[in-house]
Amino acid sequence: MTDEVRMVDMTLRDGMHAVDHQFTPEEMADVAAALDAANMDVVEVSHGDGMGGSSINYGFAAADTEEYLDAVVPELNDTELSVLLLPGIGTVEEIDMAIDRGADICRVATHVTEADISEDHFTYVKDRGLEANGLLMLSHMAEPERILHEAELMQEYGADAVYVMDSAGALLPSDVRDRVGLLADELDIEVGYHAHNNLGLGIGNTLAALDAGATTVDGCLRGLGAGSGNAQIEVLVGVLDKAGYDINPDFFGVMDAAEDVLVPMISDDEMPELDNDSLMLGYAGVYSSFLRHTRRVGEKYDIDPREILVELGEMEVVGGQEDLITDVAARLAEDRDAGTAAEAASDD
Amino acid sequence: MTDEVRMVDMTLRDGMHAVDHQFTPEEMADVAAALDAANMDVVEVSHGDGMGGSSINYGFAAADTEEYLDAVVPELNDTELSVLLLPGIGTVEEIDMAIDRGADICRVATHVTEADISEDHFTYVKDRGLEANGLLMLSHMAEPERILHEAELMQEYGADAVYVMDSAGALLPSDVRDRVGLLADELDIEVGYHAHNNLGLGIGNTLAALDAGATTVDGCLRGLGAGSGNAQIEVLVGVLDKAGYDINPDFFGVMDAAEDVLVPMISDDEMPELDNDSLMLGYAGVYSSFLRHTRRVGEKYDIDPREILVELGEMEVVGGQEDLITDVAARLAEDRDAGTAAEAASDD
């Protein structure tokens, strides 16, 4: 365990999901200025799904990444600027654009078992002299040893840090310790952790990650993010300060950024909420894109959509496999009807 | 560590704080019925400050405890009924009343260093044949060894379980482990844990408590409770199920009780929120009664009320010591003015 922690604010990237990617460049500038004033280490700015995400598939953002970066960069003095790239969504053109505008860090994210698609991107980012961080998404879907293998690939490609991303908010503190602890023991680079709050463990899991050897952690003001959101970063600052970690952000300053700057921009509906939907996604370990379809199919087959989600979670479905929902519902309905028939028979 | 966990729902007691003690007996009956249907182990029903709390000091409830108990008892089949008593607020008359109406458990709560005021109450409850649980409130204000001493007193008096209550939501997981772990090692009776979510650790701390040897834990539907609320019990059920604990409540049933039964009774303003106010109370370890006065005094002395709260927390103030707020603000203002004067002098 090291005591120095780097804190990365995701309000202007992961938080974009909560506002349907509709922050204006001016709003981003205001949030960035408040975070810079509060000594935040890093702010990340991008479409919620990374650079190039603004599209019919992922939702159009209110402005181009260029406009966002142009608005934010003048507000940053000591705070570093990070951008996100998902191979397949963003390209090297976007990396160039971000570097030209002053990005300090490029984070490259892949599914937890697909680090091998990121080699070219890491090579490119490092060749251009930037810090490169690797993100392994949906990390509840792989065992610690497999995650280590993928993280070692990213390290080989040149990553300066690798993050365990709990994208579905499905990990328990013991799961976090196992994953982060192994990476911290075996890698030569920094290990990071990124929480979602679906199981109410945004802060608890981040503490577990730090205890297991992570040295860089993500969060958002007010926890802003899809569904139940991310680790609430002003809370995290207070907790890390209280726990004796060596951090740069100023507690009161980050609190002010949350309540005086961000909150007035956000409607009540956009605020993260730990309701039954987000809880079920975390419990089942399923990505939020399944929620709406599952409800519709559940109604058709008269099956509790939560049962379908649990089944899907056990099958470890990923985005793009939404067609499996109907198969699962049909099977559950068949099991139920068979059960009812057997009961009726035994009643005779 | 044992795997069997008893879960106690506090929606109709600690949750009363969030609704200014205004649940109607009918609303209580509906919530209790949903929790009983979901196999909750215990529900607690009382004024937020315990039986006898309905008063000008603590806020008048919408009905008498008698009416609440009469409404709830017919709805409970397998779920046990608990009532809360704070010596000095409630009396033996209320214990008799609750027993006559069917209470199974009486919880007796004192400040963490004042267990000695509870002897008569425990004796009385045990003489009448009920289960008696002891609650040590504001347990961040005492070191583990002192808490053990107080818990041993309650054990001597006849308590069947002692709870570490994190009334201000001020404990970190390591603090919880130290406190609960020592009690679990040294006591012959059950150890419980009761969280508040001021540092976002309602769920994380409850897991830490169970890992350290607690076997009974509290929570509320949707986390309902003053400020940032308690551990959100439907989330806790999902998490404990996922973590492999042996629990009785049905996950989907408790989720339904939260969203279908409780949520329609509650306004948005009554929903727990982890805002700057509740975060500061947890960070400073100060009880919520200080909040309003601190803001007023801070304005008068032009001192950030958060600085006053931090000072008050270091002084370990308790309810009733609100007059210290002005002293602290005056001292902070004096220090500030002296600093400004010294700066001005050194500028010359």
Side-chain angles (χ1 to χ4, degrees):
Chain A
M1 174 179 152
T2 172
D3 280 351
E4 218 174 298
V5 179
R6 178 166 71 157
M7 301 192 73
V8 183
D9 183 275
M10 296 272 120
T11 310
L12 304 178
R13 202 279 299 164
D14 216 343
M16 279 281 265
H17 285 295
V19 297
D20 272 333
H21 316 284
Q22 296 305 306
F23 277 132
T24 64
E26 295 70 32
E27 288 174 328
M28 283 214 180
D30 289 346
V31 172
L35 288 167
D36 182 84
N39 257 336
M40 183 57 60
D41 293 302
V42 181
V43 298
E44 184 160 290
V45 174
S46 290
H47 184 279
D49 297 285
M51 296 190 295
S54 184
S55 64
I56 188 135
N57 269 344
Y58 300 101
F60 288 102
D64 294 336
T65 310
E66 289 87 328
E67 297 173 78
Y68 287 131
L69 296 179
D70 284 342
V72 164
V73 165
E75 305 297 339
L76 299 181
N77 295 298
D78 297 325
T79 298
E80 291 195 299
L81 174 64
S82 167
V83 291
L84 175 67
L85 183 107
L86 275 71
I89 299 180
T91 63
V92 291
E93 279 81 53
E94 271 115 6
I95 299 176
D96 281 334
M97 178 276 295
I99 295 175
D100 292 345
R101 276 168 169 79
D104 302 292
I105 301 165
C106 183
R107 310 221 297 185
V108 180
T110 76
H111 182 69
V112 64
T113 58
E114 295 173 3
D116 58 350
I117 66 167
S118 64
E119 180 167 12
D120 292 348
H121 303 82
F122 278 111
T123 306
Y124 193 83
V125 171
K126 291 312 297 176
D127 278 353
R128 291 226 39 195
L130 245 64
E131 178 176 338
N133 292 342
L135 314 183
L136 293 167
M137 298 188 294
L138 288 166
S139 62
H140 71 285
M141 288 197 178
E143 294 303 308
E145 291 68 25
R146 177 64 192 265
I147 300 179
L148 175 62
H149 168 74
E150 303 289 327
E152 283 172 338
L153 287 181
M154 285 182 164
Q155 175 174 277
E156 249 178 72
Y157 303 155
D160 300 291
V162 175
Y163 277 70
V164 172
M165 306 280 280
D166 183 13
S167 314
L171 294 177
L172 299 172
S174 53
D175 303 323
V176 174
R177 279 173 199 280
D178 290 348
R179 285 161 172 74
V180 169
L182 184 65
L183 266 57
D185 286 349
E186 300 295 331
L187 296 180
D188 305 319
I189 55 178
E190 268 200 291
V191 177
Y193 180 71
H194 173 106
H196 279 260
N197 201 40
N198 299 64
L199 297 177
L201 287 162
I203 303 294
N205 277 351
T206 304
L207 279 180
L210 290 169
D211 198 42
T215 55
T216 176
V217 292
D218 290 356
C220 294
L221 297 169
R222 278 298 174 107
L224 198 73
S228 60
N230 294 77
Q232 191 171 339
I233 202 163
E234 70 274 22
V235 176
L236 196 54
V237 170
V239 165
L240 297 191
D241 179 52
K242 205 170 159 88
Y245 285 96
D246 180 6
I247 55 171
N248 292 314
D250 169 59
F251 180 37
F252 293 173
V254 180
M255 289 175 87
D256 291 342
E259 206 146 295
D260 301 341
V261 182
L262 179 73
V263 168
M265 296 177 186
I266 302 294
S267 74
D268 281 354
D269 287 348
E270 291 166 336
M271 275 292 168
E273 194 180 18
L274 215 178
D275 59 10
N276 284 3
D277 281 348
S278 42
L279 171 56
M280 266 316 295
L281 294 174
Y283 179 83
V286 172
Y287 205 64
S288 57
S289 58
F290 284 82
L291 201 56
R292 199 163 43 88
H293 301 301
T294 304
R295 198 173 288 135
R296 189 175 41 76
V297 172
E299 207 163 300
K300 184 173 159 200
Y301 287 88
D302 194 23
I303 292 282
D304 189 327
R306 296 176 291 198
E307 288 182 40
I308 304 175
L309 286 171
V310 169
E311 287 290 312
L312 290 169
E314 279 167 14
M315 295 163 68
E316 305 200 337
V317 296
V318 293
Q321 297 186 304
E322 283 79 357
D323 52 321
L324 289 174
I325 296 173
T326 305
D327 298 354
V328 168
R331 180 160 52 76
L332 287 173
E334 211 171 284
D335 291 355
R336 176 198 56 203
D337 297 341
T340 315
E343 245 175 62
S346 74
D347 280 352
D348 287 342
Chain B
M1 174 178 150
T2 172
D3 280 351
E4 217 174 300
V5 179
R6 179 166 70 159
M7 302 192 71
V8 183
D9 183 276
M10 296 272 121
T11 310
L12 303 178
R13 201 280 298 165
D14 216 343
M16 279 281 265
H17 286 296
V19 297
D20 271 333
H21 317 284
Q22 295 306 305
F23 277 132
T24 64
E26 296 70 33
E27 288 174 327
M28 283 214 180
D30 289 346
V31 172
L35 288 167
D36 182 84
N39 256 337
M40 183 57 59
D41 293 302
V42 181
V43 298
E44 185 160 290
V45 174
S46 290
H47 183 281
D49 297 287
M51 296 189 294
S54 184
S55 63
I56 190 138
N57 269 344
Y58 300 101
F60 288 103
D64 294 337
T65 310
E66 289 87 329
E67 297 172 77
Y68 287 130
L69 296 180
D70 285 342
V72 163
V73 165
E75 306 297 339
L76 300 181
N77 296 298
D78 297 325
T79 299
E80 291 195 298
L81 175 63
S82 168
V83 291
L84 175 67
L85 183 107
L86 275 71
I89 298 180
T91 63
V92 290
E93 280 81 53
E94 271 114 6
I95 299 176
D96 282 333
M97 179 275 296
I99 295 174
D100 292 345
R101 277 169 169 80
D104 303 290
I105 302 166
C106 182
R107 311 221 297 184
V108 180
T110 76
H111 182 70
V112 63
T113 57
E114 294 173 5
D116 57 351
I117 67 168
S118 64
E119 179 167 12
D120 293 347
H121 303 82
F122 279 111
T123 306
Y124 193 82
V125 171
K126 290 313 295 177
D127 278 353
R128 291 227 39 195
L130 245 65
E131 178 177 337
N133 292 342
L135 315 181
L136 292 168
M137 298 188 294
L138 289 166
S139 63
H140 72 283
M141 288 200 177
E143 293 303 308
E145 290 69 23
R146 178 62 192 267
I147 299 179
L148 175 61
H149 168 73
E150 304 288 327
E152 283 172 337
L153 287 181
M154 285 182 165
Q155 175 174 276
E156 250 178 72
Y157 304 155
D160 300 291
V162 175
Y163 277 70
V164 172
M165 307 281 280
D166 184 13
S167 315
L171 294 177
L172 299 173
S174 53
D175 302 322
V176 174
R177 280 173 197 280
D178 291 348
R179 285 161 172 75
V180 169
L182 184 64
L183 266 57
D185 286 348
E186 301 295 330
L187 296 181
D188 304 318
I189 55 178
E190 269 201 290
V191 177
Y193 180 70
H194 173 107
H196 279 259
N197 201 39
N198 299 65
L199 297 176
L201 287 162
I203 304 293
N205 277 351
T206 303
L207 280 180
L210 290 169
D211 198 42
T215 55
T216 176
V217 292
D218 290 355
C220 293
L221 296 168
R222 277 301 175 103
L224 199 73
S228 60
N230 294 79
Q232 191 171 339
I233 202 163
E234 70 274 22
V235 176
L236 196 55
V237 171
V239 164
L240 296 190
D241 180 52
K242 207 172 157 84
Y245 284 97
D246 180 6
I247 56 170
N248 292 313
D250 169 61
F251 180 37
F252 293 173
V254 180
M255 289 174 88
D256 291 341
E259 207 146 294
D260 301 340
V261 182
L262 179 73
V263 168
M265 296 177 186
I266 302 294
S267 73
D268 282 354
D269 287 349
E270 291 167 336
M271 275 292 169
E273 195 181 17
L274 215 177
D275 58 10
N276 284 2
D277 280 348
S278 42
L279 171 56
M280 266 316 295
L281 294 174
Y283 179 84
V286 172
Y287 205 65
S288 57
S289 58
F290 285 82
L291 202 58
R292 198 164 43 88
H293 300 301
T294 305
R295 198 174 287 135
R296 190 176 42 75
V297 172
E299 207 162 300
K300 184 173 159 199
Y301 287 87
D302 195 22
I303 293 281
D304 190 326
R306 297 177 290 199
E307 288 182 40
I308 304 175
L309 286 171
V310 169
E311 288 289 313
L312 290 169
E314 280 167 13
M315 294 163 67
E316 304 198 340
V317 295
V318 293
Q321 296 186 305
E322 284 78 358
D323 52 320
L324 289 173
I325 296 174
T326 306
D327 298 355
V328 168
R331 180 161 50 76
L332 287 172
E334 212 172 282
D335 291 354
R336 176 198 58 203
D337 298 341
T340 316
E343 245 177 61
S346 75
D347 280 351
D348 287 343

